[in-house]
PDB file of all heavy atoms in Angstrom:
ATOM      1  N   LEU V   1     -30.895  33.201  34.388  1.00  0.00           N
ATOM      2  CA  LEU V   1     -30.158  32.071  33.823  1.00  0.00           C
ATOM      3  C   LEU V   1     -30.985  31.493  32.678  1.00  0.00           C
ATOM      4  O   LEU V   1     -32.105  31.040  32.885  1.00  0.00           O
ATOM      5  CB  LEU V   1     -29.933  30.998  34.886  1.00  0.00           C
ATOM      6  CG  LEU V   1     -29.256  29.724  34.421  1.00  0.00           C
ATOM      7  CD1 LEU V   1     -27.793  29.980  34.091  1.00  0.00           C
ATOM      8  CD2 LEU V   1     -29.377  28.649  35.479  1.00  0.00           C
ATOM      9  N   VAL V   2     -30.417  31.519  31.490  1.00  0.00           N
ATOM     10  CA  VAL V   2     -31.098  30.946  30.335  1.00  0.00           C
ATOM     11  C   VAL V   2     -30.768  29.467  30.233  1.00  0.00           C
ATOM     12  O   VAL V   2     -31.654  28.635  30.041  1.00  0.00           O
ATOM     13  CB  VAL V   2     -30.711  31.693  29.041  1.00  0.00           C
ATOM     14  CG1 VAL V   2     -31.305  31.014  27.814  1.00  0.00           C
ATOM     15  CG2 VAL V   2     -31.151  33.154  29.119  1.00  0.00           C
ATOM     16  N   ALA V   3     -29.477  29.135  30.392  1.00  0.00           N
ATOM     17  CA  ALA V   3     -29.045  27.733  30.307  1.00  0.00           C
ATOM     18  C   ALA V   3     -27.671  27.607  30.963  1.00  0.00           C
ATOM     19  O   ALA V   3     -26.927  28.570  31.065  1.00  0.00           O
ATOM     20  CB  ALA V   3     -28.973  27.277  28.861  1.00  0.00           C
ATOM     21  N   PHE V   4     -27.364  26.383  31.388  1.00  0.00           N
ATOM     22  CA  PHE V   4     -26.033  26.070  31.890  1.00  0.00           C
ATOM     23  C   PHE V   4     -25.524  24.860  31.127  1.00  0.00           C
ATOM     24  O   PHE V   4     -26.232  23.866  30.965  1.00  0.00           O
ATOM     25  CB  PHE V   4     -26.043  25.759  33.392  1.00  0.00           C
ATOM     26  CG  PHE V   4     -24.688  25.358  33.915  1.00  0.00           C
ATOM     27  CD1 PHE V   4     -23.709  26.318  34.124  1.00  0.00           C
ATOM     28  CD2 PHE V   4     -24.387  24.030  34.160  1.00  0.00           C
ATOM     29  CE1 PHE V   4     -22.441  25.956  34.567  1.00  0.00           C
ATOM     30  CE2 PHE V   4     -23.128  23.655  34.609  1.00  0.00           C
ATOM     31  CZ  PHE V   4     -22.155  24.622  34.812  1.00  0.00           C
ATOM     32  N   TYR V   5     -24.272  24.952  30.661  1.00  0.00           N
ATOM     33  CA  TYR V   5     -23.644  23.875  29.910  1.00  0.00           C
ATOM     34  C   TYR V   5     -22.401  23.425  30.669  1.00  0.00           C
ATOM     35  O   TYR V   5     -21.394  24.130  30.678  1.00  0.00           O
ATOM     36  CB  TYR V   5     -23.269  24.349  28.501  1.00  0.00           C
ATOM     37  CG  TYR V   5     -24.474  24.829  27.727  1.00  0.00           C
ATOM     38  CD1 TYR V   5     -24.811  26.180  27.688  1.00  0.00           C
ATOM     39  CD2 TYR V   5     -25.303  23.922  27.073  1.00  0.00           C
ATOM     40  CE1 TYR V   5     -25.935  26.619  27.005  1.00  0.00           C
ATOM     41  CE2 TYR V   5     -26.435  24.353  26.382  1.00  0.00           C
ATOM     42  CZ  TYR V   5     -26.738  25.710  26.354  1.00  0.00           C
ATOM     43  OH  TYR V   5     -27.853  26.131  25.679  1.00  0.00           O
ATOM     44  N   PRO V   6     -22.469  22.278  31.330  1.00  0.00           N
ATOM     45  CA  PRO V   6     -21.310  21.819  32.104  1.00  0.00           C
ATOM     46  C   PRO V   6     -20.157  21.384  31.199  1.00  0.00           C
ATOM     47  O   PRO V   6     -20.377  20.921  30.071  1.00  0.00           O
ATOM     48  CB  PRO V   6     -21.849  20.631  32.896  1.00  0.00           C
ATOM     49  CG  PRO V   6     -23.025  20.150  32.132  1.00  0.00           C
ATOM     50  CD  PRO V   6     -23.592  21.346  31.417  1.00  0.00           C
ATOM     51  N   ASN V   7     -18.962  21.558  31.713  1.00  0.00           N
ATOM     52  CA  ASN V   7     -17.780  21.037  31.031  1.00  0.00           C
ATOM     53  C   ASN V   7     -17.789  19.512  31.130  1.00  0.00           C
ATOM     54  O   ASN V   7     -18.494  18.942  31.969  1.00  0.00           O
ATOM     55  CB  ASN V   7     -16.511  21.597  31.674  1.00  0.00           C
ATOM     56  CG  ASN V   7     -16.281  23.034  31.266  1.00  0.00           C
ATOM     57  OD1 ASN V   7     -16.717  23.480  30.223  1.00  0.00           O
ATOM     58  ND2 ASN V   7     -15.579  23.766  32.113  1.00  0.00           N
ATOM     59  N   PRO V   8     -16.985  18.833  30.314  1.00  0.00           N
ATOM     60  CA  PRO V   8     -16.918  17.367  30.380  1.00  0.00           C
ATOM     61  C   PRO V   8     -16.494  16.891  31.773  1.00  0.00           C
ATOM     62  O   PRO V   8     -15.772  17.587  32.491  1.00  0.00           O
ATOM     63  CB  PRO V   8     -15.847  17.004  29.342  1.00  0.00           C
ATOM     64  CG  PRO V   8     -15.762  18.187  28.435  1.00  0.00           C
ATOM     65  CD  PRO V   8     -16.123  19.377  29.267  1.00  0.00           C
ATOM     66  N   SER V   9     -16.938  15.708  32.141  1.00  0.00           N
ATOM     67  CA  SER V   9     -16.649  15.176  33.473  1.00  0.00           C
ATOM     68  C   SER V   9     -15.153  15.048  33.737  1.00  0.00           C
ATOM     69  O   SER V   9     -14.721  15.123  34.881  1.00  0.00           O
ATOM     70  CB  SER V   9     -17.347  13.834  33.680  1.00  0.00           C
ATOM     71  OG  SER V   9     -16.901  12.902  32.728  1.00  0.00           O
ATOM     72  N   ALA V  10     -14.348  14.901  32.703  1.00  0.00           N
ATOM     73  CA  ALA V  10     -12.895  14.756  32.872  1.00  0.00           C
ATOM     74  C   ALA V  10     -12.242  15.989  33.500  1.00  0.00           C
ATOM     75  O   ALA V  10     -11.174  15.879  34.092  1.00  0.00           O
ATOM     76  CB  ALA V  10     -12.232  14.456  31.533  1.00  0.00           C
ATOM     77  N   VAL V  11     -12.882  17.144  33.380  1.00  0.00           N
ATOM     78  CA  VAL V  11     -12.298  18.361  33.979  1.00  0.00           C
ATOM     79  C   VAL V  11     -13.093  18.872  35.176  1.00  0.00           C
ATOM     80  O   VAL V  11     -12.729  19.878  35.778  1.00  0.00           O
ATOM     81  CB  VAL V  11     -12.110  19.502  32.943  1.00  0.00           C
ATOM     82  CG1 VAL V  11     -11.100  19.104  31.889  1.00  0.00           C
ATOM     83  CG2 VAL V  11     -13.424  19.914  32.329  1.00  0.00           C
ATOM     84  N   GLN V  12     -14.172  18.189  35.540  1.00  0.00           N
ATOM     85  CA  GLN V  12     -14.927  18.582  36.731  1.00  0.00           C
ATOM     86  C   GLN V  12     -14.094  18.290  37.971  1.00  0.00           C
ATOM     87  O   GLN V  12     -13.226  17.428  37.964  1.00  0.00           O
ATOM     88  CB  GLN V  12     -16.263  17.841  36.799  1.00  0.00           C
ATOM     89  CG  GLN V  12     -17.234  18.200  35.697  1.00  0.00           C
ATOM     90  CD  GLN V  12     -17.744  19.631  35.758  1.00  0.00           C
ATOM     91  OE1 GLN V  12     -17.795  20.270  36.803  1.00  0.00           O
ATOM     92  NE2 GLN V  12     -18.122  20.156  34.606  1.00  0.00           N
ATOM     93  N   ASN V  13     -14.373  19.021  39.040  1.00  0.00           N
ATOM     94  CA  ASN V  13     -13.663  18.860  40.314  1.00  0.00           C
ATOM     95  C   ASN V  13     -12.161  19.046  40.114  1.00  0.00           C
ATOM     96  O   ASN V  13     -11.335  18.340  40.697  1.00  0.00           O
ATOM     97  CB  ASN V  13     -13.982  17.500  40.941  1.00  0.00           C
ATOM     98  CG  ASN V  13     -13.807  17.520  42.433  1.00  0.00           C
ATOM     99  OD1 ASN V  13     -13.886  18.558  43.076  1.00  0.00           O
ATOM    100  ND2 ASN V  13     -13.559  16.356  42.995  1.00  0.00           N
ATOM    101  N   TYR V  14     -11.820  20.022  39.304  1.00  0.00           N
ATOM    102  CA  TYR V  14     -10.451  20.253  38.836  1.00  0.00           C
ATOM    103  C   TYR V  14      -9.451  20.373  39.985  1.00  0.00           C
ATOM    104  O   TYR V  14      -8.455  19.654  40.026  1.00  0.00           O
ATOM    105  CB  TYR V  14     -10.414  21.510  37.961  1.00  0.00           C
ATOM    106  CG  TYR V  14      -9.075  21.751  37.324  1.00  0.00           C
ATOM    107  CD1 TYR V  14      -8.708  21.067  36.178  1.00  0.00           C
ATOM    108  CD2 TYR V  14      -8.176  22.652  37.868  1.00  0.00           C
ATOM    109  CE1 TYR V  14      -7.478  21.270  35.582  1.00  0.00           C
ATOM    110  CE2 TYR V  14      -6.937  22.864  37.285  1.00  0.00           C
ATOM    111  CZ  TYR V  14      -6.594  22.170  36.136  1.00  0.00           C
ATOM    112  OH  TYR V  14      -5.370  22.378  35.554  1.00  0.00           O
ATOM    113  N   PHE V  15      -9.695  21.274  40.918  1.00  0.00           N
ATOM    114  CA  PHE V  15      -8.744  21.484  42.007  1.00  0.00           C
ATOM    115  C   PHE V  15      -8.642  20.277  42.924  1.00  0.00           C
ATOM    116  O   PHE V  15      -7.545  19.827  43.252  1.00  0.00           O
ATOM    117  CB  PHE V  15      -9.123  22.715  42.841  1.00  0.00           C
ATOM    118  CG  PHE V  15      -8.226  22.900  44.038  1.00  0.00           C
ATOM    119  CD1 PHE V  15      -7.015  23.550  43.914  1.00  0.00           C
ATOM    120  CD2 PHE V  15      -8.588  22.418  45.283  1.00  0.00           C
ATOM    121  CE1 PHE V  15      -6.166  23.702  44.999  1.00  0.00           C
ATOM    122  CE2 PHE V  15      -7.755  22.568  46.388  1.00  0.00           C
ATOM    123  CZ  PHE V  15      -6.533  23.212  46.240  1.00  0.00           C
ATOM    124  N   TRP V  16      -9.754  19.755  43.370  1.00  0.00           N
ATOM    125  CA  TRP V  16      -9.741  18.702  44.385  1.00  0.00           C
ATOM    126  C   TRP V  16      -9.213  17.376  43.847  1.00  0.00           C
ATOM    127  O   TRP V  16      -8.818  16.510  44.606  1.00  0.00           O
ATOM    128  CB  TRP V  16     -11.119  18.560  45.024  1.00  0.00           C
ATOM    129  CG  TRP V  16     -11.461  19.818  45.766  1.00  0.00           C
ATOM    130  CD1 TRP V  16     -12.320  20.795  45.367  1.00  0.00           C
ATOM    131  CD2 TRP V  16     -10.887  20.269  47.003  1.00  0.00           C
ATOM    132  NE1 TRP V  16     -12.332  21.830  46.287  1.00  0.00           N
ATOM    133  CE2 TRP V  16     -11.465  21.529  47.306  1.00  0.00           C
ATOM    134  CE3 TRP V  16      -9.962  19.736  47.885  1.00  0.00           C
ATOM    135  CZ2 TRP V  16     -11.135  22.250  48.442  1.00  0.00           C
ATOM    136  CZ3 TRP V  16      -9.639  20.459  49.031  1.00  0.00           C
ATOM    137  CH2 TRP V  16     -10.224  21.699  49.295  1.00  0.00           C
ATOM    138  N   ARG V  17      -9.170  17.207  42.530  1.00  0.00           N
ATOM    139  CA  ARG V  17      -8.582  16.001  41.935  1.00  0.00           C
ATOM    140  C   ARG V  17      -7.074  16.129  41.761  1.00  0.00           C
ATOM    141  O   ARG V  17      -6.362  15.133  41.745  1.00  0.00           O
ATOM    142  CB  ARG V  17      -9.192  15.707  40.562  1.00  0.00           C
ATOM    143  CG  ARG V  17     -10.533  15.053  40.578  1.00  0.00           C
ATOM    144  CD  ARG V  17     -11.024  14.621  39.191  1.00  0.00           C
ATOM    145  NE  ARG V  17     -11.051  15.694  38.196  1.00  0.00           N
ATOM    146  CZ  ARG V  17     -10.150  15.862  37.239  1.00  0.00           C
ATOM    147  NH1 ARG V  17      -9.135  15.050  37.117  1.00  0.00           N
ATOM    148  NH2 ARG V  17     -10.248  16.858  36.376  1.00  0.00           N
ATOM    149  N   GLN V  18      -6.582  17.374  41.596  1.00  0.00           N
ATOM    150  CA  GLN V  18      -5.163  17.571  41.269  1.00  0.00           C
ATOM    151  C   GLN V  18      -4.635  18.885  41.846  1.00  0.00           C
ATOM    152  O   GLN V  18      -4.194  19.759  41.111  1.00  0.00           O
ATOM    153  CB  GLN V  18      -4.982  17.538  39.762  1.00  0.00           C
ATOM    154  CG  GLN V  18      -5.927  18.501  39.051  1.00  0.00           C
ATOM    155  CD  GLN V  18      -6.091  18.174  37.591  1.00  0.00           C
ATOM    156  OE1 GLN V  18      -5.539  17.204  37.078  1.00  0.00           O
ATOM    157  NE2 GLN V  18      -6.821  19.002  36.891  1.00  0.00           N
ATOM    158  N   PRO V  19      -4.655  19.030  43.160  1.00  0.00           N
ATOM    159  CA  PRO V  19      -4.273  20.301  43.777  1.00  0.00           C
ATOM    160  C   PRO V  19      -2.813  20.691  43.566  1.00  0.00           C
ATOM    161  O   PRO V  19      -2.454  21.854  43.781  1.00  0.00           O
ATOM    162  CB  PRO V  19      -4.569  20.076  45.260  1.00  0.00           C
ATOM    163  CG  PRO V  19      -4.528  18.601  45.441  1.00  0.00           C
ATOM    164  CD  PRO V  19      -5.011  18.023  44.151  1.00  0.00           C
ATOM    165  N   ASP V  20      -1.988  19.749  43.115  1.00  0.00           N
ATOM    166  CA  ASP V  20      -0.575  20.056  42.904  1.00  0.00           C
ATOM    167  C   ASP V  20      -0.290  20.708  41.549  1.00  0.00           C
ATOM    168  O   ASP V  20       0.838  21.120  41.289  1.00  0.00           O
ATOM    169  CB  ASP V  20       0.257  18.784  43.062  1.00  0.00           C
ATOM    170  CG  ASP V  20      -0.199  17.671  42.136  1.00  0.00           C
ATOM    171  OD1 ASP V  20      -1.391  17.641  41.755  1.00  0.00           O
ATOM    172  OD2 ASP V  20       0.635  16.804  41.789  1.00  0.00           O
ATOM    173  N   LYS V  21      -1.283  20.828  40.690  1.00  0.00           N
ATOM    174  CA  LYS V  21      -1.091  21.502  39.402  1.00  0.00           C
ATOM    175  C   LYS V  21      -0.680  22.959  39.650  1.00  0.00           C
ATOM    176  O   LYS V  21      -1.161  23.588  40.599  1.00  0.00           O
ATOM    177  CB  LYS V  21      -2.380  21.484  38.568  1.00  0.00           C
ATOM    178  CG  LYS V  21      -2.785  20.120  38.086  1.00  0.00           C
ATOM    179  CD  LYS V  21      -2.025  19.769  36.843  1.00  0.00           C
ATOM    180  CE  LYS V  21      -2.600  18.505  36.231  1.00  0.00           C
ATOM    181  NZ  LYS V  21      -1.873  18.085  35.086  1.00  0.00           N
ATOM    182  N   PRO V  22       0.189  23.523  38.820  1.00  0.00           N
ATOM    183  CA  PRO V  22       0.651  24.901  39.040  1.00  0.00           C
ATOM    184  C   PRO V  22      -0.487  25.923  39.145  1.00  0.00           C
ATOM    185  O   PRO V  22      -0.448  26.803  40.012  1.00  0.00           O
ATOM    186  CB  PRO V  22       1.542  25.176  37.825  1.00  0.00           C
ATOM    187  CG  PRO V  22       2.036  23.826  37.416  1.00  0.00           C
ATOM    188  CD  PRO V  22       0.893  22.875  37.710  1.00  0.00           C
ATOM    189  N   PHE V  23      -1.509  25.825  38.291  1.00  0.00           N
ATOM    190  CA  PHE V  23      -2.619  26.774  38.360  1.00  0.00           C
ATOM    191  C   PHE V  23      -3.351  26.650  39.689  1.00  0.00           C
ATOM    192  O   PHE V  23      -3.731  27.652  40.301  1.00  0.00           O
ATOM    193  CB  PHE V  23      -3.602  26.564  37.194  1.00  0.00           C
ATOM    194  CG  PHE V  23      -4.722  27.565  37.186  1.00  0.00           C
ATOM    195  CD1 PHE V  23      -4.551  28.813  36.610  1.00  0.00           C
ATOM    196  CD2 PHE V  23      -5.942  27.265  37.768  1.00  0.00           C
ATOM    197  CE1 PHE V  23      -5.581  29.743  36.609  1.00  0.00           C
ATOM    198  CE2 PHE V  23      -6.980  28.190  37.779  1.00  0.00           C
ATOM    199  CZ  PHE V  23      -6.789  29.431  37.191  1.00  0.00           C
ATOM    200  N   CYS V  24      -3.543  25.430  40.131  1.00  0.00           N
ATOM    201  CA  CYS V  24      -4.233  25.202  41.412  1.00  0.00           C
ATOM    202  C   CYS V  24      -3.444  25.823  42.556  1.00  0.00           C
ATOM    203  O   CYS V  24      -4.014  26.489  43.425  1.00  0.00           O
ATOM    204  CB  CYS V  24      -4.424  23.704  41.652  1.00  0.00           C
ATOM    205  SG  CYS V  24      -5.536  22.912  40.473  1.00  0.00           S
ATOM    206  N   ASP V  25      -2.136  25.598  42.554  1.00  0.00           N
ATOM    207  CA  ASP V  25      -1.281  26.102  43.617  1.00  0.00           C
ATOM    208  C   ASP V  25      -1.186  27.626  43.611  1.00  0.00           C
ATOM    209  O   ASP V  25      -1.244  28.261  44.660  1.00  0.00           O
ATOM    210  CB  ASP V  25       0.108  25.484  43.486  1.00  0.00           C
ATOM    211  CG  ASP V  25       0.991  25.807  44.668  1.00  0.00           C
ATOM    212  OD1 ASP V  25       0.575  25.541  45.813  1.00  0.00           O
ATOM    213  OD2 ASP V  25       2.098  26.346  44.446  1.00  0.00           O
ATOM    214  N   SER V  26      -1.087  28.221  42.435  1.00  0.00           N
ATOM    215  CA  SER V  26      -0.867  29.675  42.366  1.00  0.00           C
ATOM    216  C   SER V  26      -2.147  30.513  42.370  1.00  0.00           C
ATOM    217  O   SER V  26      -2.136  31.643  42.851  1.00  0.00           O
ATOM    218  CB  SER V  26      -0.044  30.031  41.130  1.00  0.00           C
ATOM    219  OG  SER V  26      -0.774  29.760  39.945  1.00  0.00           O
ATOM    220  N   LYS V  27      -3.241  29.978  41.871  1.00  0.00           N
ATOM    221  CA  LYS V  27      -4.478  30.773  41.744  1.00  0.00           C
ATOM    222  C   LYS V  27      -5.598  30.332  42.688  1.00  0.00           C
ATOM    223  O   LYS V  27      -6.264  31.159  43.289  1.00  0.00           O
ATOM    224  CB  LYS V  27      -5.001  30.722  40.300  1.00  0.00           C
ATOM    225  CG  LYS V  27      -4.044  31.235  39.275  1.00  0.00           C
ATOM    226  CD  LYS V  27      -3.781  32.712  39.428  1.00  0.00           C
ATOM    227  CE  LYS V  27      -2.869  33.185  38.302  1.00  0.00           C
ATOM    228  NZ  LYS V  27      -2.318  34.492  38.546  1.00  0.00           N
ATOM    229  N   ILE V  28      -5.829  29.034  42.767  1.00  0.00           N
ATOM    230  CA  ILE V  28      -6.980  28.554  43.535  1.00  0.00           C
ATOM    231  C   ILE V  28      -6.668  28.429  45.019  1.00  0.00           C
ATOM    232  O   ILE V  28      -7.451  28.864  45.863  1.00  0.00           O
ATOM    233  CB  ILE V  28      -7.496  27.217  42.962  1.00  0.00           C
ATOM    234  CG1 ILE V  28      -7.908  27.386  41.493  1.00  0.00           C
ATOM    235  CG2 ILE V  28      -8.668  26.706  43.787  1.00  0.00           C
ATOM    236  CD1 ILE V  28      -8.265  26.098  40.782  1.00  0.00           C
ATOM    237  N   LEU V  29      -5.520  27.849  45.353  1.00  0.00           N
ATOM    238  CA  LEU V  29      -5.170  27.647  46.756  1.00  0.00           C
ATOM    239  C   LEU V  29      -5.190  28.945  47.564  1.00  0.00           C
ATOM    240  O   LEU V  29      -5.738  28.962  48.671  1.00  0.00           O
ATOM    241  CB  LEU V  29      -3.822  26.935  46.878  1.00  0.00           C
ATOM    242  CG  LEU V  29      -3.396  26.538  48.288  1.00  0.00           C
ATOM    243  CD1 LEU V  29      -4.431  25.627  48.949  1.00  0.00           C
ATOM    244  CD2 LEU V  29      -2.034  25.859  48.248  1.00  0.00           C
ATOM    245  N   PRO V  30      -4.646  30.055  47.059  1.00  0.00           N
ATOM    246  CA  PRO V  30      -4.737  31.308  47.834  1.00  0.00           C
ATOM    247  C   PRO V  30      -6.180  31.739  48.106  1.00  0.00           C
ATOM    248  O   PRO V  30      -6.484  32.258  49.185  1.00  0.00           O
ATOM    249  CB  PRO V  30      -4.011  32.337  46.964  1.00  0.00           C
ATOM    250  CG  PRO V  30      -3.074  31.528  46.133  1.00  0.00           C
ATOM    251  CD  PRO V  30      -3.793  30.222  45.879  1.00  0.00           C
ATOM    252  N   LYS V  31      -7.076  31.493  47.164  1.00  0.00           N
ATOM    253  CA  LYS V  31      -8.491  31.826  47.386  1.00  0.00           C
ATOM    254  C   LYS V  31      -9.088  30.954  48.483  1.00  0.00           C
ATOM    255  O   LYS V  31      -9.860  31.426  49.316  1.00  0.00           O
ATOM    256  CB  LYS V  31      -9.297  31.679  46.092  1.00  0.00           C
ATOM    257  CG  LYS V  31      -8.973  32.745  45.069  1.00  0.00           C
ATOM    258  CD  LYS V  31      -9.819  32.611  43.830  1.00  0.00           C
ATOM    259  CE  LYS V  31      -9.370  33.653  42.821  1.00  0.00           C
ATOM    260  NZ  LYS V  31     -10.407  34.099  41.953  1.00  0.00           N
ATOM    261  N   LEU V  32      -8.730  29.679  48.485  1.00  0.00           N
ATOM    262  CA  LEU V  32      -9.241  28.775  49.517  1.00  0.00           C
ATOM    263  C   LEU V  32      -8.699  29.133  50.892  1.00  0.00           C
ATOM    264  O   LEU V  32      -9.423  29.086  51.886  1.00  0.00           O
ATOM    265  CB  LEU V  32      -8.915  27.329  49.165  1.00  0.00           C
ATOM    266  CG  LEU V  32      -9.651  26.762  47.962  1.00  0.00           C
ATOM    267  CD1 LEU V  32      -9.126  25.381  47.613  1.00  0.00           C
ATOM    268  CD2 LEU V  32     -11.152  26.723  48.199  1.00  0.00           C
ATOM    269  N   LYS V  33      -7.422  29.510  50.957  1.00  0.00           N
ATOM    270  CA  LYS V  33      -6.842  29.929  52.234  1.00  0.00           C
ATOM    271  C   LYS V  33      -7.532  31.186  52.756  1.00  0.00           C
ATOM    272  O   LYS V  33      -7.871  31.269  53.940  1.00  0.00           O
ATOM    273  CB  LYS V  33      -5.344  30.158  52.089  1.00  0.00           C
ATOM    274  CG  LYS V  33      -4.553  28.879  51.947  1.00  0.00           C
ATOM    275  CD  LYS V  33      -3.073  29.165  51.757  1.00  0.00           C
ATOM    276  CE  LYS V  33      -2.260  27.896  51.624  1.00  0.00           C
ATOM    277  NZ  LYS V  33      -0.829  28.189  51.372  1.00  0.00           N
ATOM    278  N   ALA V  34      -7.756  32.156  51.875  1.00  0.00           N
ATOM    279  CA  ALA V  34      -8.458  33.385  52.280  1.00  0.00           C
ATOM    280  C   ALA V  34      -9.885  33.069  52.711  1.00  0.00           C
ATOM    281  O   ALA V  34     -10.384  33.640  53.689  1.00  0.00           O
ATOM    282  CB  ALA V  34      -8.449  34.392  51.128  1.00  0.00           C
ATOM    283  N   LEU V  35     -10.525  32.162  52.024  1.00  0.00           N
ATOM    284  CA  LEU V  35     -11.880  31.751  52.372  1.00  0.00           C
ATOM    285  C   LEU V  35     -11.918  31.150  53.774  1.00  0.00           C
ATOM    286  O   LEU V  35     -12.793  31.472  54.576  1.00  0.00           O
ATOM    287  CB  LEU V  35     -12.376  30.730  51.343  1.00  0.00           C
ATOM    288  CG  LEU V  35     -13.778  30.200  51.494  1.00  0.00           C
ATOM    289  CD1 LEU V  35     -14.792  31.279  51.157  1.00  0.00           C
ATOM    290  CD2 LEU V  35     -13.974  29.001  50.570  1.00  0.00           C
ATOM    291  N   ALA V  36     -10.942  30.303  54.081  1.00  0.00           N
ATOM    292  CA  ALA V  36     -10.892  29.657  55.395  1.00  0.00           C
ATOM    293  C   ALA V  36     -10.672  30.665  56.515  1.00  0.00           C
ATOM    294  O   ALA V  36     -11.193  30.504  57.618  1.00  0.00           O
ATOM    295  CB  ALA V  36      -9.799  28.598  55.412  1.00  0.00           C
ATOM    296  N   VAL V  37      -9.930  31.721  56.238  1.00  0.00           N
ATOM    297  CA  VAL V  37      -9.681  32.757  57.246  1.00  0.00           C
ATOM    298  C   VAL V  37     -10.917  33.642  57.420  1.00  0.00           C
ATOM    299  O   VAL V  37     -11.315  33.964  58.537  1.00  0.00           O
ATOM    300  CB  VAL V  37      -8.452  33.610  56.846  1.00  0.00           C
ATOM    301  CG1 VAL V  37      -8.333  34.848  57.718  1.00  0.00           C
ATOM    302  CG2 VAL V  37      -7.190  32.773  56.925  1.00  0.00           C
ATOM    303  N   THR V  38     -11.536  34.013  56.312  1.00  0.00           N
ATOM    304  CA  THR V  38     -12.674  34.936  56.344  1.00  0.00           C
ATOM    305  C   THR V  38     -13.973  34.271  56.778  1.00  0.00           C
ATOM    306  O   THR V  38     -14.781  34.876  57.476  1.00  0.00           O
ATOM    307  CB  THR V  38     -12.868  35.581  54.953  1.00  0.00           C
ATOM    308  OG1 THR V  38     -11.621  36.136  54.521  1.00  0.00           O
ATOM    309  CG2 THR V  38     -13.908  36.684  55.002  1.00  0.00           C
TER     310      THR V  38
END
């Protein structure tokens, strides 16, 4: 790791702040469900 540049705070915690967003529902939620099972 040479460096890490965080995104602005307004977009941090993207899923947990707005889980009803279409991207969250279609892409992230299935990963979380699989994670909970595995």
Side-chain angles (χ1 to χ4, degrees):
L1 176 70
V2 174
F4 177 76
Y5 301 95
N7 284 334
S9 60
V11 295
Q12 294 293 334
N13 205 24
Y14 186 81
F15 175 84
W16 296 104
R17 281 187 305 103
Q18 52 199 2
D20 56 333
K21 292 278 189 183
F23 183 84
C24 294
D25 188 54
S26 66
K27 301 294 184 194
I28 301 173
L29 186 58
K31 290 182 184 210
L32 291 173
K33 287 178 180 177
L35 182 71
V37 169
T38 308

